[in-house]
Amino acid sequence: FLSLVAEFCCGFFVILILGNFWFLAVLYLLWLYFDWETPCMGGRRSEWVRSWTVWKYFREYFPIHLIKTSDLSPNHNYLFGFHPHGVLVAGAFGNFCTGPSFKNLFPGLTPYLHIMPIWFSCPFFREYIMSAGMVSASKESVSYVLNNQGGGHASVIVIGGAEESLNAHPGSLTLNILKRKGFIKMALKHGAHLVPVFSFGENELFKQVANPKGSWLRNVQEKLQKIMGFALPLFHARGVFQYSFGLIPYRQPIHTVVGSPIPVKRNLNPTTEEIDQLHALYLQKLRQLFEEHKRNYGIPEHKSLIFE
């Protein structure tokens, strides 16, 4: 969905340049020059955009639910680790960028969904995603959010990143996390409490072309991902009036479960051992969160998370 909106925005910008409104494009480029750092400085959210009626229908289509397991004090800053990436990241967008659910469940907290910086280079589209509460996933951006002295900020990071979307097959429980420790270091440097988040149903929205590791397709996808910075999963789902083929996601419920916080003491210069220790604790709490709730959302008893 975001890709389609981005393409529309880029196309509109090209029309301005080639048409009789080129001066508007020049003015916008000037604005872009002075506003370039905003995605790394907390963005520019709009509650009006976040509350558009279309997002209500978007959430109800699947439907998308946000489940709270523990109170989160607004006196602290938090780093939410969101899993899994899926193809659409619908749970992260629906729960943290639209509607009143988060505010009602966690009063006093403001969520910031961090996404790839490349999205903020798209004309006009960047204004839209910032208004929804999305900010850059750069280190500077995460630091800006977590450095809020009064607390009350929550950085939401999709830990598996674009690479994990290539594992987004129905029934898949494989998470790319063993080598991803940058978020742990950021939490330590800012004393942000870590919160594991698992979104049940995220991988059930699309069927992806078989791409096991080592296959020619997976090799091509991984090479493109390294070059472009984002992955290109080949997927399909349903159409508008039929259910056999199309790009509209299947109507599968998504339950995004927010776990209990892991207290983190500020450490400006954490050692590798300290990072590894907290990372291991995070994996333990993430697995525990999954095991405690999997029965509620149709996961067979013998299924468990796979960390790679």
Side-chain angles (χ1 to χ4, degrees):
F1 177 79
L2 290 180
S3 297
L4 291 175
V5 177
E7 290 175 7
F8 173 81
C9 291
C10 288
F12 179 69
F13 185 70
V14 171
I15 291 174
L16 287 181
I17 295 176
L18 299 179
N20 294 325
F21 301 97
W22 58 267
F23 62 94
L24 293 178
V26 172
L27 288 176
Y28 182 78
L29 287 174
L30 185 62
W31 158 260
L32 200 61
Y33 175 78
F34 288 106
D35 194 58
W36 189 254
E37 295 299 323
T38 301
C40 295
M41 301 177 66
R44 187 170 44 247
R45 70 179 53 225
S46 166
E47 291 304 321
W48 175 67
V49 173
R50 289 168 58 87
S51 61
W52 280 352
T53 302
V54 65
W55 303 133
K56 174 178 178 291
Y57 293 120
F58 172 80
R59 294 190 303 273
E60 292 178 350
Y61 171 80
F62 298 97
I64 296 175
H65 304 281
L66 185 64
I67 292 88
K68 170 183 174 179
T69 63
S70 177
D71 289 332
L72 298 179
S73 170
N75 296 323
H76 299 292
N77 292 318
Y78 300 88
L79 194 158
F80 285 25
F82 184 91
H83 313 271
H85 184 288
V87 171
L88 192 64
V89 205
F93 177 74
N95 286 310
F96 303 120
C97 296
T98 75
S101 295
F102 186 87
K103 182 185 294 186
N104 293 339
L105 291 176
F106 303 103
L109 286 185
T110 301
Y112 295 83
L113 178 60
H114 296 270
I115 63 175
M116 290 185 297
I118 190 174
W119 290 114
F120 296 96
S121 62
C122 180
F124 300 115
F125 180 67
R126 69 188 296 274
E127 319 303 334
Y128 158 68
I129 55 179
M130 278 196 289
S131 65
M134 289 180 250
V135 292
S136 173
S138 67
K139 292 181 181 179
E140 296 79 11
S141 178
V142 177
S143 292
Y144 185 91
V145 173
L146 296 181
N147 203 35
N148 188 42
Q149 297 300 319
H153 282 188
S155 279
V156 183
I157 302 177
V158 184
I159 304 300
E163 184 182 354
E164 193 173 86
S165 67
L166 299 178
N167 290 328
H169 297 272
S172 174
L173 295 172
T174 301
L175 304 180
N176 291 58
I177 192 172
L178 291 181
K179 295 181 180 180
R180 296 179 180 264
K181 301 179 181 180
F183 73 103
I184 298 292
K185 187 175 183 179
M186 293 299 293
L188 282 166
K189 291 183 69 174
H190 294 280
H193 294 194
L194 282 167
V195 180
V197 179
F198 195 87
S199 195
F200 292 90
E202 200 74 44
N203 284 340
E204 316 304 316
L205 307 184
F206 296 93
K207 292 180 180 178
Q208 191 172 168
V209 175
N211 60 341
K213 288 201 169 182
S215 66
W216 69 270
L217 176 58
R218 186 60 168 257
N219 290 336
V220 170
Q221 289 175 319
E222 290 177 345
K223 287 180 181 178
L224 289 175
Q225 190 263 324
K226 291 179 180 178
I227 294 172
M228 300 183 298
F230 56 91
L232 292 173
L234 299 179
F235 59 89
H236 68 88
R238 53 162 290 186
V240 178
F241 301 111
Q242 44 78 30
Y243 292 84
S244 58
F245 189 82
L247 295 179
I248 298 176
Y250 293 115
R251 297 191 70 176
Q252 296 290 339
I254 298 172
H255 295 87
T256 303
V257 184
V258 179
S260 300
I262 303 171
V264 176
K265 187 176 181 180
R266 190 176 187 184
N267 184 347
L268 293 177
N269 296 292
T271 64
T272 300
E273 182 180 354
E274 290 170 329
I275 293 173
D276 289 344
Q277 184 177 6
L278 183 55
H279 185 261
L281 176 60
Y282 179 85
L283 294 183
Q284 176 187 333
K285 294 297 184 181
L286 174 60
R287 188 181 294 279
Q288 181 180 332
L289 176 70
F290 174 80
E291 293 295 333
E292 288 179 353
H293 295 273
K294 67 180 183 180
R295 301 169 191 81
N296 299 332
Y297 306 116
I299 306 295
E301 185 66 31
H302 67 279
K303 288 274 192 176
S304 296
L305 293 178
I306 300 173
F307 298 146
E308 64 174 29

